[in-house]
Amino acid sequence: MSKTVVMSGGVGAAKFLRGLSKIHPPDSITAIINVADDFRLHGLAISPDIDTVTYTLAEQVNPETGWGQKGETWRVMSELERYKGQTWFSLGDLDLALHLYRTQRLAEGSTLAEVTKEVSAAWEIEVNLLPVTNHPVRTRLTVEGEGDIDFQDYFVARQHDVAINAVRFDGASDAIPAPGVLEAINEASHIVIAPSNPIVSIGPLLAIPGILEALVQNKERVVAVSPIIGGLALKGPADRMLSELGHEPSALGVASLYQPFSSALLIDTADKHLSTKISNLGIKAVVANTVMSDISKAAQVALSAINATNPPLTGA
Ligand code: FO1
């Protein structure tokens, strides 16, 4: 059975994985998920990207936000407002159960990978969900004229509406890949870099010692999907972050970041004109529709990505 690995952030990766699981057996897919957005609030261990992938594959994600559960209620948050508690990060009543469970299991000595497996089994998810590491890694951003802040402070509290001039991943250099991560990369027939933010979703994965090296070694089987279409991110601040950090905010900018470890880049038809420039960087540009507005389009994007590293036989 051919095996596929998807290097994953949150919302974009989750949609891609859901599409992929419609065209490949779910148990042949491994998602290696970013943990650098994780943080503690109210004493609870919160892992947004893992949970977004979990709820999406369980077909339970809130379709409006792309994170949290659909049909969620907010009674605990409303009650917390009474005490003027920390309500800037919205934890739904149902979602809170997952954070309570994870926090308790980690306190008992389980690893994040073990808890992630338990949670995905509870949702009957067949895709293998692996946090990239069991070690704490935390994104910190330097805000112009202000200093360093935590990821969720940037992303949610400030709605990524401040200019940044540096990003770092605290703890990454001391972290080791979670059990099974390097094996999955080395055994995969296809490795997809999901359409996630290159700086703060894919960046932290590459910062864990051993991951970038494993991708470089398997470069012929690595295809990336550009999260930038027509110079814009479909969701989130990836376009602005790229330009604030000195990269071109386009599929070409993504190509130059990913060229060291990817042999192909799936770009949207809107960016077709960039194909030659991208190919000149030494990374094959493959043009397709990449907007995942529904499940069948997500499956189509997944098929295009898979075919980009493994061209289908033509009748010729
Ligand atoms: N994103 C928001 O913009 N506002 C929120 O209040 C918020 C709450 C939240 C709760 C649980 C969860 O798993 C994710 C949540 N997110 C929220 C999304 C999350 O902060 C980001 O999408 C990721 O960290 C970026 O990939």
Side-chain angles (χ1 to χ4, degrees):
M1 181 166 65
S2 76
K3 293 181 182 176
T4 306
V5 158
V6 181
M7 307 300 289
S8 304
V11 178
K15 284 187 183 174
F16 181 87
L17 281 160
R18 187 155 173 255
L20 183 62
S21 65
K22 297 292 168 202
I23 61 160
H24 275 197
D27 62 356
S28 71
I29 303 167
T30 297
I32 297 176
I33 309 173
N34 175 38
V35 297
D37 300 6
D38 294 15
F39 73 127
R40 289 228 167 214
L41 187 64
H42 320 296
L44 299 175
I46 301 170
S47 295
D49 284 355
I50 293 175
D51 296 351
T52 295
V53 170
T54 301
Y55 290 147
T56 303
L57 291 176
E59 310 205 351
Q60 194 57 34
V61 82
N62 179 334
E64 269 101 57
T65 55
W67 52 265
Q69 286 207 38
K70 68 179 167 200
E72 185 60 278
T73 55
W74 304 94
R75 297 190 64 193
V76 173
M77 287 292 113
S78 308
E79 190 67 359
L80 194 53
E81 269 173 20
R82 183 194 300 279
Y83 306 111
K84 307 211 180 334
Q86 298 217 47
T87 54
W88 61 273
F89 194 83
S90 305
L91 296 171
D93 300 335
L94 300 175
D95 192 33
L96 273 164
L98 171 48
H99 309 307
L100 289 171
Y101 180 75
R102 177 188 293 117
T103 306
Q104 185 219 337
R105 296 289 294 120
L106 291 175
E108 287 169 358
S110 297
T111 64
L112 183 60
E114 287 164 349
V115 182
T116 302
K117 208 176 166 76
E118 290 165 8
V119 170
S120 75
W123 283 104
E124 298 180 7
I125 291 168
E126 291 174 80
V127 174
N128 182 24
L129 306 187
L130 285 180
V132 64
T133 179
N134 284 322
H135 294 239
V137 177
R138 299 294 174 257
T139 297
R140 299 268 297 165
L141 304 107
T142 309
V143 176
E144 254 174 44
E146 193 180 322
D148 294 350
I149 60 172
D150 287 339
F151 179 78
Q152 298 297 349
D153 188 2
Y154 167 78
F155 198 91
V156 174
R158 297 172 193 227
Q159 293 288 296
H160 41 77
D161 202 17
V162 283
I164 52 145
N165 51 32
V167 174
R168 62 172 204 272
F169 309 114
D170 282 1
S173 56
D174 297 325
I176 56 168
V181 164
L182 294 179
E183 294 81 349
I185 294 174
N186 289 324
E187 287 169 11
S189 49
H190 301 88
I191 302 157
V192 183
I193 313 295
S196 297
N197 185 315
I199 306 290
V200 288
S201 298
I202 303 302
L205 304 177
L206 304 174
I208 313 276
I211 303 277
L212 175 61
E213 294 79 357
L215 294 177
V216 169
Q217 239 167 28
N218 293 286
K219 182 174 174 177
E220 282 318 303
R221 285 175 279 144
V222 180
V223 55
V225 182
S226 174
I228 305 288
I229 301 178
L232 297 172
L234 282 184
K235 196 171 161 47
D239 45 5
R240 273 197 16 249
M241 288 185 122
L242 283 168
S243 65
E244 285 165 9
L245 297 174
H247 307 286
E248 191 174 308
S250 71
L252 184 61
V254 175
S256 73
L257 281 172
Y258 288 172
Q259 181 278 335
F261 56 87
S262 303
S263 57
L265 179 69
L266 195 69
I267 62 171
D268 194 77
T269 45
D271 293 319
K272 197 173 175 206
H273 60 285
L274 296 173
S275 297
T276 312
K277 279 188 175 169
I278 291 174
S279 299
N280 287 344
L281 290 174
I283 175 168
K284 180 172 70 168
V286 179
V287 181
N289 291 319
T290 62
V291 180
M292 299 180 288
S293 43
D294 61 35
I295 176 71
S296 72
K297 292 205 173 86
Q300 198 55 51
V301 175
L303 191 61
S304 303
I306 295 300
N307 286 341
T309 49
N310 187 10
L313 294 172
T314 63

